[in-house]
Amino acid sequence: QMQLVESGGGLVQPGGSLRLSCAASGLKFYTVGWYRQAPERQRALVADIAPGGGADYADFVQGRFAISRDNANDTVYLQMDKLKVEETAVYYCNARSISGFSDWGQGIQVTVSS
């Protein structure tokens, strides 16, 4: 287990921004994904980033969210701009390797509401 620690969630108004962080020792060696799960919905991939920095995004966040990583500090960030009410969810960090290892953070609540 890696003990992934998420931070940066909270309450934001529609159109606002938040930056989530995911930190863990050794995270620099893993592909890291941010997922979200709304009540009664399946968990869905938002964005992920490879150890070298290559990133992929779900279509629904293209142009609004940006994933990045600071390998020196074993931290991955998700900058979320122009947030929508329907993006209220618990956001989870996942670390995985090509060998099949996978670990999840505990999740962090993001609430978009006026």
Side-chain angles (χ1 to χ4, degrees), residues 20-90:
L20 305 182
S21 299
C22 175
S25 178
L27 198 60
K28 63 176 64 69
F29 301 114
Y30 297 87
T31 293
V32 177
W34 281 101
Y35 294 73
R36 68 188 187 193
Q37 187 168 18
E40 302 182 2
R41 301 289 296 274
Q42 288 190 330
R43 193 171 298 187
L45 178 66
V46 175
D48 63 17
I49 187 165
D56 288 305
Y57 297 90
D59 289 344
F60 52 77
V61 301
Q62 284 280 0
R64 297 186 298 119
F65 289 13
I67 191 169
S68 61
R69 66 191 307 155
D70 177 358
N71 285 342
N73 290 297
D74 284 324
T75 303
V76 170
Y77 303 99
L78 182 69
Q79 177 68 40
M80 305 187 292
D81 297 326
K82 301 179 182 179
L83 282 160
K84 305 174 183 179
V85 171
E86 56 266 36
E87 294 181 305
T88 294
V90 178

Coordinates of all heavy atoms in Angstrom, one line a residue, residues 20-90:
L20 N -6.7 20.0 -6.7 CA -6.5 18.8 -5.9 C -5.1 18.4 -5.9 O -4.4 18.5 -7.0 CB -7.4 17.7 -6.4 CG -8.9 18.0 -6.5 CD1 -9.7 16.7 -6.9 CD2 -9.5 18.5 -5.2
S21 N -4.6 17.8 -4.8 CA -3.3 17.3 -4.7 C -3.4 15.8 -4.3 O -4.2 15.4 -3.5 CB -2.4 18.0 -3.8 OG -2.3 19.4 -4.1
C22 N -2.4 15.0 -4.8 CA -2.3 13.6 -4.4 C -0.8 13.4 -4.1 O 0.0 13.6 -5.0 CB -2.8 12.7 -5.5 SG -2.6 10.9 -5.2
A23 N -0.5 13.0 -2.9 CA 0.9 12.8 -2.6 C 1.1 11.4 -2.0 O 0.3 10.9 -1.2 CB 1.3 13.9 -1.6
A24 N 2.3 10.8 -2.2 CA 2.7 9.6 -1.7 C 4.1 9.3 -2.0 O 4.6 9.7 -3.0 CB 1.9 8.4 -2.2
S25 N 4.8 8.7 -1.0 CA 6.2 8.4 -1.3 C 6.4 7.5 -2.5 O 5.6 6.5 -2.6 CB 6.8 7.7 0.0 OG 8.1 7.4 -0.2
G26 N 7.3 7.8 -3.4 CA 7.5 7.0 -4.6 C 6.5 7.2 -5.7 O 6.6 6.5 -6.7
L27 N 5.6 8.2 -5.6 CA 4.6 8.4 -6.6 C 5.2 8.6 -8.0 O 4.5 8.4 -9.0 CB 3.7 9.5 -6.2 CG 2.3 9.6 -6.9 CD1 1.5 8.3 -6.6 CD2 1.6 10.8 -6.4
K28 N 6.4 9.1 -8.0 CA 7.0 9.5 -9.3 C 7.1 8.3 -10.3 O 7.3 8.5 -11.5 CB 8.4 10.1 -9.0 CG 9.4 9.1 -8.4 CD 10.8 9.7 -8.3 CE 10.8 10.9 -7.3 NZ 10.6 10.5 -5.9
F29 N 7.1 7.1 -9.7 CA 7.3 5.9 -10.6 C 6.0 5.4 -11.2 O 6.1 4.4 -11.9 CB 8.0 4.8 -9.8 CG 9.3 5.3 -9.2 CD1 9.5 5.4 -7.8 CD2 10.4 5.5 -10.1 CE1 10.8 5.8 -7.3 CE2 11.6 5.9 -9.6 CZ 11.8 6.1 -8.2
Y30 N 4.9 6.0 -10.9 CA 3.6 5.4 -11.2 C 2.8 6.3 -12.1 O 2.9 7.5 -12.1 CB 2.8 5.1 -9.9 CG 3.4 4.1 -9.0 CD1 4.4 4.5 -8.1 CD2 3.1 2.8 -9.2 CE1 5.0 3.5 -7.3 CE2 3.7 1.8 -8.3 CZ 4.6 2.2 -7.4 OH 5.2 1.3 -6.6
T31 N 1.9 5.7 -12.9 CA 0.9 6.4 -13.6 C -0.2 6.8 -12.6 O -0.6 5.9 -11.8 CB 0.3 5.6 -14.8 OG1 1.3 5.4 -15.8 CG2 -0.9 6.3 -15.4
V32 N -0.6 8.0 -12.5 CA -1.5 8.5 -11.6 C -2.8 9.0 -12.3 O -2.7 9.8 -13.2 CB -0.9 9.6 -10.7 CG1 -2.0 10.1 -9.7 CG2 0.3 9.0 -9.9
G33 N -3.9 8.5 -11.8 CA -5.2 9.0 -12.3 C -6.0 9.6 -11.3 O -6.0 9.3 -10.1
W34 N -6.8 10.6 -11.7 CA -7.9 11.2 -10.9 C -9.2 10.6 -11.4 O -9.5 10.7 -12.6 CB -7.9 12.7 -10.9 CG -6.8 13.3 -10.1 CD1 -5.6 13.8 -10.5 CD2 -6.9 13.5 -8.7 NE1 -4.9 14.3 -9.4 CE2 -5.7 14.2 -8.3 CE3 -7.9 13.2 -7.7 CZ2 -5.4 14.5 -6.9 CZ3 -7.6 13.6 -6.4 CH2 -6.4 14.2 -6.0
Y35 N -10.0 10.1 -10.5 CA -11.4 9.6 -10.8 C -12.4 10.4 -10.0 O -12.0 11.0 -9.0 CB -11.4 8.1 -10.5 CG -10.6 7.2 -11.3 CD1 -9.2 7.2 -11.2 CD2 -11.2 6.4 -12.3 CE1 -8.4 6.4 -12.0 CE2 -10.4 5.6 -13.1 CZ -9.0 5.5 -12.9 OH -8.2 4.7 -13.7
R36 N -13.6 10.3 -10.4 CA -14.7 10.9 -9.5 C -15.9 10.0 -9.5 O -16.1 9.2 -10.5 CB -15.0 12.3 -10.0 CG -15.7 12.4 -11.3 CD -15.8 13.8 -11.7 NE -16.6 14.0 -13.0 CZ -16.7 15.1 -13.7 NH1 -15.9 16.2 -13.3 NH2 -17.4 15.2 -14.7
Q37 N -16.6 10.1 -8.4 CA -17.8 9.3 -8.3 C -18.9 10.1 -7.6 O -18.7 10.5 -6.4 CB -17.5 8.0 -7.4 CG -18.7 7.0 -7.4 CD -18.3 5.7 -6.8 OE1 -17.3 5.5 -6.2 NE2 -19.1 4.7 -7.1
A38 N -20.0 10.3 -8.3 CA -21.1 11.0 -7.8 C -22.1 10.0 -7.2 O -22.0 8.8 -7.5 CB -21.8 11.8 -8.9
P39 N -23.0 10.4 -6.3 CA -23.9 9.5 -5.7 C -24.7 8.7 -6.7 O -25.2 9.3 -7.7 CB -24.8 10.4 -4.9 CG -24.0 11.6 -4.6 CD -23.1 11.8 -5.7
E40 N -24.7 7.4 -6.6 CA -25.5 6.5 -7.4 C -24.9 6.5 -8.9 O -25.6 6.1 -9.8 CB -27.0 6.8 -7.4 CG -27.6 6.8 -6.0 CD -29.1 7.0 -6.0 OE1 -29.6 7.2 -7.1 OE2 -29.7 7.0 -4.9
R41 N -23.7 6.9 -9.0 CA -23.0 6.8 -10.3 C -21.8 6.0 -10.2 O -21.2 5.8 -9.2 CB -22.6 8.3 -10.8 CG -23.8 9.2 -10.9 CD -24.7 8.9 -12.1 NE -24.0 9.0 -13.4 CZ -23.9 10.1 -14.1 NH1 -24.5 11.2 -13.6 NH2 -23.3 10.1 -15.3
Q42 N -21.3 5.5 -11.3 CA -20.1 4.7 -11.3 C -18.9 5.7 -11.3 O -18.9 6.8 -11.7 CB -20.0 3.9 -12.6 CG -21.0 2.7 -12.7 CD -20.7 1.8 -13.8 OE1 -20.2 2.2 -14.9 NE2 -21.0 0.5 -13.6
R43 N -17.8 5.1 -10.7 CA -16.6 5.9 -10.7 C -16.0 6.0 -12.1 O -16.0 5.1 -12.9 CB -15.5 5.2 -9.8 CG -14.3 6.0 -9.5 CD -13.4 5.3 -8.4 NE -14.1 5.1 -7.2 CZ -13.5 4.6 -6.1 NH1 -12.2 4.3 -6.1 NH2 -14.2 4.4 -5.0
A44 N -15.6 7.3 -12.5 CA -15.2 7.6 -13.8 C -13.8 8.2 -13.8 O -13.5 9.1 -13.0 CB -16.2 8.5 -14.5
L45 N -13.0 7.9 -14.8 CA -11.7 8.5 -15.0 C -11.9 10.0 -15.4 O -12.6 10.2 -16.4 CB -10.9 7.8 -16.0 CG -9.5 8.3 -16.3 CD1 -8.6 8.3 -15.1 CD2 -8.9 7.6 -17.5
V46 N -11.2 10.9 -14.8 CA -11.2 12.3 -15.1 C -9.9 12.6 -16.0 O -10.0 13.2 -17.1 CB -11.2 13.2 -13.9 CG1 -11.1 14.6 -14.3 CG2 -12.5 12.9 -13.1
A47 N -8.8 12.2 -15.5 CA -7.5 12.4 -16.2 C -6.5 11.5 -15.6 O -6.6 11.1 -14.4 CB -7.1 13.9 -16.1
D48 N -5.4 11.2 -16.4 CA -4.3 10.5 -15.8 C -3.0 11.0 -16.5 O -3.0 11.7 -17.5 CB -4.4 9.0 -15.9 CG -4.5 8.4 -17.3 OD1 -4.1 9.1 -18.2 OD2 -4.9 7.3 -17.4
I49 N -1.9 10.7 -15.7 CA -0.6 11.2 -16.2 C 0.4 10.1 -15.9 O 0.5 9.5 -14.9 CB -0.3 12.5 -15.4 CG1 1.0 13.1 -16.0 CG2 -0.2 12.4 -13.9 CD1 1.2 14.6 -15.6
A50 N 1.2 9.9 -16.9 CA 2.3 8.9 -16.9 C 3.5 9.5 -16.1 O 3.6 10.7 -15.9 CB 2.7 8.5 -18.3
P51 N 4.4 8.6 -15.7 CA 5.6 9.1 -15.0 C 6.4 10.2 -15.8 O 6.9 11.1 -15.2 CB 6.4 7.8 -14.8 CG 5.4 6.7 -14.7 CD 4.4 7.1 -15.7
G52 N 6.4 10.1 -17.1 CA 7.1 11.0 -17.9 C 6.4 12.3 -18.2 O 6.9 13.2 -18.8
G53 N 5.1 12.3 -17.8 CA 4.3 13.6 -17.9 C 3.2 13.5 -19.0 O 2.4 14.5 -19.1
G54 N 3.2 12.5 -19.8 CA 2.1 12.4 -20.8 C 0.8 12.3 -20.1 O 0.6 11.5 -19.2
A55 N -0.2 13.0 -20.6 CA -1.5 13.1 -19.9 C -2.7 12.8 -20.9 O -2.6 13.1 -22.1 CB -1.7 14.5 -19.3
D56 N -3.7 12.2 -20.3 CA -4.9 12.0 -21.1 C -6.1 12.5 -20.2 O -6.1 12.5 -19.0 CB -5.2 10.5 -21.3 CG -4.2 10.0 -22.3 OD1 -4.1 10.5 -23.5 OD2 -3.5 9.0 -22.0
Y57 N -7.2 13.0 -20.9 CA -8.3 13.5 -20.3 C -9.6 12.9 -20.8 O -9.7 12.6 -22.0 CB -8.4 15.1 -20.5 CG -7.2 15.8 -20.0 CD1 -6.1 16.0 -20.7 CD2 -7.3 16.3 -18.7 CE1 -5.0 16.7 -20.2 CE2 -6.2 17.0 -18.1 CZ -5.0 17.2 -18.9 OH -4.0 17.9 -18.4
A58 N -10.6 12.9 -19.9 CA -11.9 12.5 -20.3 C -12.5 13.7 -21.2 O -12.2 14.8 -20.9 CB -12.8 12.3 -19.1
D59 N -13.3 13.3 -22.1 CA -13.9 14.4 -23.0 C -14.6 15.4 -22.2 O -14.5 16.6 -22.6 CB -14.8 13.7 -24.0 CG -14.1 12.9 -25.1 OD1 -12.9 13.0 -25.2 OD2 -14.8 12.1 -25.7
F60 N -15.2 15.1 -21.1 CA -16.1 16.1 -20.4 C -15.3 17.1 -19.7 O -15.8 18.1 -19.1 CB -17.1 15.4 -19.5 CG -16.5 14.4 -18.6 CD1 -15.8 14.7 -17.4 CD2 -16.6 13.0 -18.8 CE1 -15.3 13.8 -16.5 CE2 -16.1 12.1 -18.0 CZ -15.4 12.5 -16.8
V61 N -13.9 17.0 -19.6 CA -13.1 18.0 -18.9 C -12.1 18.6 -19.8 O -11.3 19.5 -19.3 CB -12.4 17.4 -17.7 CG1 -13.4 16.8 -16.7 CG2 -11.4 16.4 -18.0
Q62 N -12.1 18.3 -21.1 CA -11.1 18.8 -22.0 C -11.2 20.3 -22.0 O -12.2 20.9 -22.1 CB -11.4 18.3 -23.4 CG -11.0 16.9 -23.6 CD -9.5 16.7 -23.9 OE1 -8.7 17.7 -23.9 NE2 -9.1 15.5 -24.1
G63 N -10.0 21.0 -21.8 CA -9.9 22.4 -21.9 C -10.2 23.1 -20.6 O -10.0 24.3 -20.4
R64 N -10.7 22.4 -19.6 CA -11.1 23.0 -18.3 C -10.2 22.5 -17.2 O -10.0 23.2 -16.2 CB -12.5 22.7 -18.0 CG -13.5 23.3 -18.9 CD -15.0 23.2 -18.4 NE -15.3 21.8 -18.3 CZ -15.7 21.2 -17.1 NH1 -15.7 21.9 -16.0 NH2 -16.0 19.9 -17.1
F65 N -9.8 21.2 -17.2 CA -9.0 20.6 -16.2 C -7.5 20.4 -16.7 O -7.3 20.2 -17.9 CB -9.5 19.3 -15.7 CG -10.8 19.3 -15.0 CD1 -11.6 20.5 -14.9 CD2 -11.3 18.2 -14.3 CE1 -12.8 20.5 -14.2 CE2 -12.5 18.2 -13.6 CZ -13.2 19.4 -13.6
A66 N -6.6 20.4 -15.8 CA -5.2 20.2 -16.2 C -4.6 19.3 -15.1 O -4.6 19.7 -13.9 CB -4.4 21.4 -16.4
I67 N -4.0 18.2 -15.5 CA -3.3 17.3 -14.6 C -1.8 17.6 -14.7 O -1.3 17.8 -15.9 CB -3.6 15.8 -14.8 CG1 -3.1 15.0 -13.7 CG2 -3.2 15.3 -16.2 CD1 -3.7 13.5 -13.7
S68 N -1.0 17.6 -13.6 CA 0.4 17.8 -13.7 C 1.0 17.1 -12.5 O 0.4 16.6 -11.6 CB 0.7 19.3 -13.6 OG 0.2 19.9 -12.4
R69 N 2.4 17.0 -12.6 CA 3.0 16.3 -11.5 C 4.4 16.9 -11.2 O 5.0 17.6 -12.0 CB 3.2 14.8 -11.9 CG 4.2 14.5 -13.0 CD 4.0 13.0 -13.4 NE 4.2 12.1 -12.3 CZ 3.7 10.9 -12.2 NH1 3.0 10.4 -13.2 NH2 4.0 10.1 -11.1
D70 N 4.7 16.8 -9.9 CA 6.0 17.3 -9.4 C 6.7 16.1 -8.8 O 6.5 15.7 -7.7 CB 5.7 18.4 -8.3 CG 7.0 18.9 -7.6 OD1 8.1 18.4 -8.0 OD2 6.9 19.7 -6.7
N71 N 7.5 15.5 -9.7 CA 8.2 14.3 -9.3 C 9.2 14.4 -8.2 O 9.4 13.5 -7.4 CB 8.8 13.6 -10.5 CG 7.8 12.9 -11.4 OD1 6.7 12.7 -11.1 ND2 8.2 12.7 -12.7
A72 N 9.7 15.6 -8.1 CA 10.7 15.9 -7.0 C 10.0 15.8 -5.6 O 10.6 15.4 -4.6 CB 11.3 17.2 -7.1
N73 N 8.7 16.1 -5.6 CA 7.9 16.0 -4.3 C 6.9 14.9 -4.3 O 6.0 14.9 -3.4 CB 7.3 17.4 -4.1 CG 8.3 18.4 -3.8 OD1 9.0 18.3 -2.7 ND2 8.4 19.4 -4.6
D74 N 6.9 14.0 -5.3 CA 6.0 12.9 -5.3 C 4.6 13.3 -5.2 O 3.8 12.8 -4.4 CB 6.3 11.9 -4.2 CG 7.6 11.0 -4.6 OD1 7.7 10.7 -5.8 OD2 8.3 10.7 -3.7
T75 N 4.2 14.3 -6.0 CA 2.8 14.9 -5.9 C 2.3 15.1 -7.3 O 3.0 15.4 -8.2 CB 2.8 16.2 -5.2 OG1 3.4 16.1 -3.9 CG2 1.4 16.8 -5.0
V76 N 1.0 14.8 -7.4 CA 0.2 15.0 -8.7 C -0.9 15.9 -8.4 O -1.6 15.8 -7.3 CB -0.3 13.7 -9.2 CG1 -1.3 13.9 -10.4 CG2 0.9 12.8 -9.7
Y77 N -1.1 16.9 -9.3 CA -2.1 17.9 -9.1 C -3.2 17.8 -10.2 O -3.0 17.3 -11.3 CB -1.5 19.3 -9.2 CG -0.4 19.5 -8.3 CD1 0.9 19.4 -8.6 CD2 -0.7 19.9 -6.9 CE1 1.9 19.7 -7.7 CE2 0.3 20.1 -6.0 CZ 1.7 20.0 -6.4 OH 2.7 20.2 -5.6
L78 N -4.4 18.2 -9.8 CA -5.5 18.3 -10.8 C -6.1 19.7 -10.6 O -6.7 20.0 -9.6 CB -6.6 17.3 -10.6 CG -7.7 17.3 -11.6 CD1 -7.2 16.9 -13.0 CD2 -8.9 16.4 -11.2
Q79 N -5.8 20.6 -11.5 CA -6.4 21.9 -11.6 C -7.7 21.9 -12.3 O -7.8 21.4 -13.4 CB -5.4 22.9 -12.3 CG -5.9 24.3 -12.4 CD -6.0 25.0 -11.1 OE1 -5.1 24.9 -10.3 NE2 -7.1 25.8 -10.9
M80 N -8.7 22.3 -11.6 CA -10.1 22.2 -12.1 C -10.6 23.6 -12.2 O -10.8 24.3 -11.2 CB -11.0 21.4 -11.2 CG -10.4 20.0 -10.9 SD -11.6 18.9 -10.0 CE -11.6 19.7 -8.5
D81 N -10.9 24.1 -13.4 CA -11.5 25.4 -13.7 C -12.9 25.3 -14.3 O -13.2 24.2 -14.8 CB -10.6 26.2 -14.7 CG -9.2 26.4 -14.1 OD1 -9.1 26.6 -12.9 OD2 -8.2 26.4 -14.9
K82 N -13.6 26.4 -14.2 CA -15.0 26.4 -14.7 C -15.8 25.2 -14.3 O -16.5 24.6 -15.1 CB -14.9 26.5 -16.3 CG -14.1 27.7 -16.8 CD -14.1 27.7 -18.3 CE -13.3 28.8 -18.8 NZ -13.2 28.8 -20.3
L83 N -15.8 25.0 -13.0 CA -16.5 23.8 -12.4 C -18.0 24.0 -12.6 O -18.5 25.1 -12.5 CB -16.1 23.6 -11.0 CG -14.8 23.0 -10.8 CD1 -14.2 23.2 -9.4 CD2 -14.9 21.5 -11.0
K84 N -18.7 22.8 -12.8 CA -20.1 22.8 -13.0 C -20.8 22.1 -11.8 O -20.1 21.2 -11.1 CB -20.4 22.1 -14.2 CG -19.7 22.6 -15.5 CD -20.0 21.7 -16.7 CE -19.3 22.2 -17.9 NZ -19.5 21.4 -19.1
V85 N -22.0 22.4 -11.6 CA -22.7 21.8 -10.4 C -22.7 20.3 -10.5 O -22.5 19.6 -9.5 CB -24.2 22.3 -10.4 CG1 -25.0 21.5 -9.4 CG2 -24.2 23.8 -10.1
E86 N -22.9 19.8 -11.7 CA -22.9 18.3 -11.9 C -21.6 17.6 -11.7 O -21.5 16.4 -11.8 CB -23.4 18.0 -13.3 CG -22.7 18.6 -14.5 CD -23.2 19.9 -14.9 OE1 -23.8 20.7 -14.1 OE2 -23.2 20.2 -16.2
E87 N -20.5 18.4 -11.4 CA -19.2 17.8 -11.2 C -19.0 17.6 -9.7 O -17.9 17.2 -9.2 CB -18.1 18.7 -11.8 CG -18.2 18.6 -13.3 CD -17.2 19.4 -14.0 OE1 -17.0 20.6 -13.7 OE2 -16.5 18.8 -14.9
T88 N -20.0 17.8 -8.9 CA -20.0 17.5 -7.5 C -19.8 16.0 -7.3 O -20.6 15.2 -7.9 CB -21.3 18.0 -6.8 OG1 -21.4 19.4 -6.8 CG2 -21.4 17.5 -5.4
A89 N -18.8 15.6 -6.6 CA -18.5 14.2 -6.5 C -17.4 14.0 -5.5 O -16.8 15.0 -5.0 CB -18.1 13.6 -7.8
V90 N -17.1 12.7 -5.1 CA -15.9 12.4 -4.4 C -14.8 12.1 -5.4 O -15.1 11.3 -6.4 CB -16.1 11.2 -3.5 CG1 -14.8 10.8 -2.8 CG2 -17.2 11.5 -2.4

